């Protein structure tokens, strides 16, 4: 059964806020609703093996690794009614047009990604995706310093805040990153 109305949903927030957990929850419910679901994720996030997406709490579903938005297009089955993509911050800007096209065709598009990089600046295509989405869910983690809501991701290199000029992409989990609030988030600038 095809959805009557295509739409784009974005799930965003810092690391450890439950984005992947929420994506998996929506995918599971879509499957219960007898939708045909395809899940994708950028190839460079190989933390948990390349054929699955896994939340920090260990929840897991199968996902096809892709390198570009075009590869999503190329692998789409005609029966698919729901497309979910995790770690969408790593994709090129073409994901914005693709999300629009799929939603225009009547598909439900669920995208999860980091809104901010370790500097606290917008990450890749996320700003535009947040704008075109019908529904935006911004989740919060807990600041490891003060216990308030965390909106930022702290990158730590040898226990010290990473430098502003460090590369944007550094795949990792708790060994490199912590959730922090605005007040406790730090970037080395010197
Ligand atoms: P997560 O949102 O599922 O926790 O995963 C985010 C991934 O993004 C993780 O592999 C670390 C990576 N990452 C970067 O590459 N650059 C960054 O600036 C940040 C904050 C995370
Ligand atoms: Mg995740």
């Amino acid at each position: 059964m095809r959805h009557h109305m295509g739409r784009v949903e974005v799930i965003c927030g810092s690391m450890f806020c439950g984005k992947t957990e929420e994506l998996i929850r929506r995918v599971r419910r879509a499957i219960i609703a007898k939708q045909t679901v395809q899940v994708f994720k950028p190839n460079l996030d190989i933390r948990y093996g390349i054929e699955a997406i896994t939340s920090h709490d260990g929840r897991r579903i199968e996902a096809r690794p892709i390198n570009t938005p075009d590869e999503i297009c190329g692998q789409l089955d005609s029966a698919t009614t729901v497309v979910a993509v995790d770690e969408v911050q790593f994709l090129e800007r073409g994901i914005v047009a693709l999300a629009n096209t799929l939603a225009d065709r009547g598909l439900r598009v669920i995208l999860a990604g980091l809104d901010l990089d370790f500097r606290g600046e917008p990450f890749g295509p996320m700003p535009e995706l947040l704008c075109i989405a019908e529904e935006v869910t911004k989740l919060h983690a807990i600041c490891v310093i003060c216990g308030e809501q965390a909106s930022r991701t702290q990158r730590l290199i040898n226990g010290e805040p990473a430098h502003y000029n460090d590369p944007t992409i550094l795949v990792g989990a708790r060994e490199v990153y912590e959730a922090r609030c605005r007040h406790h988030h730090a970037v080395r600038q010197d």
Side-chain angles (χ1 to χ4, degrees):
M1 185 177 53
R2 191 167 276 274
H3 276 276
H4 295 298
M5 265 184 31
R7 59 200 244 109
V8 177
E9 300 166 26
V10 174
I11 304 161
C12 69
S14 68
M15 287 182 70
F16 314 110
C17 73
K19 298 182 298 296
T20 302
E21 202 181 327
E22 176 62 17
L23 181 94
I24 291 172
R25 190 184 79 91
R26 291 186 196 184
V27 166
R28 292 218 165 114
R29 291 168 66 89
I31 291 167
I32 292 168
K34 301 206 170 16
Q35 299 301 305
T36 306
V37 185
Q38 278 185 272
V39 185
F40 300 92
K41 66 164 195 178
N43 210 357
L44 83 168
D45 187 8
I46 51 165
R47 277 177 300 178
Y48 305 100
I50 72 166
E51 298 293 347
I53 57 175
T54 311
S55 62
H56 291 287
D57 71 354
R59 262 178 256 260
R60 191 170 190 287
I61 49 170
E62 286 194 4
R64 291 200 204 178
I66 43 107
N67 294 301
T68 62
D70 281 353
E71 287 183 20
I72 298 178
C73 226
Q75 295 191 48
L76 221 51
D77 300 329
S78 56
T80 295
T81 52
V82 178
V83 173
V85 188
D86 199 13
E87 305 283 6
V88 79
Q89 77 274 359
F90 290 138
L91 291 176
E92 302 157 8
R93 289 222 129 62
I95 186 63
V96 180
L98 179 64
N100 264 331
T101 303
L102 297 180
D104 288 348
R105 271 194 228 155
L107 277 75
R108 179 179 173 201
V109 181
I110 309 171
L111 307 171
L114 287 171
D115 44 1
L116 300 174
D117 63 18
F118 74 97
R119 303 177 190 90
E121 294 180 352
F123 208 143
M126 292 302 286
E128 281 174 83
L129 291 173
L130 291 168
C131 289
I132 63 151
E134 272 82 4
E135 187 186 305
V136 173
T137 305
K138 187 155 177 161
L139 301 174
H140 296 90
I142 301 297
C143 175
V144 299
I145 308 291
C146 68
E148 294 293 320
Q149 284 200 342
S151 55
R152 304 286 190 278
T153 306
Q154 179 67 50
R155 183 188 286 174
L156 294 168
I157 305 295
N158 301 322
E160 295 296 324
H163 195 277
Y164 185 89
N165 294 330
D166 285 357
T168 301
I169 297 180
L170 174 65
V171 171
R174 288 186 203 278
E175 69 288 358
V176 203
Y177 293 105
E178 291 179 350
R180 300 228 188 150
C181 67
R182 176 187 288 275
H183 181 69
H184 289 114
H185 175 252
V187 184
R188 205 155 65 81
Q189 299 276 1
D190 52 85

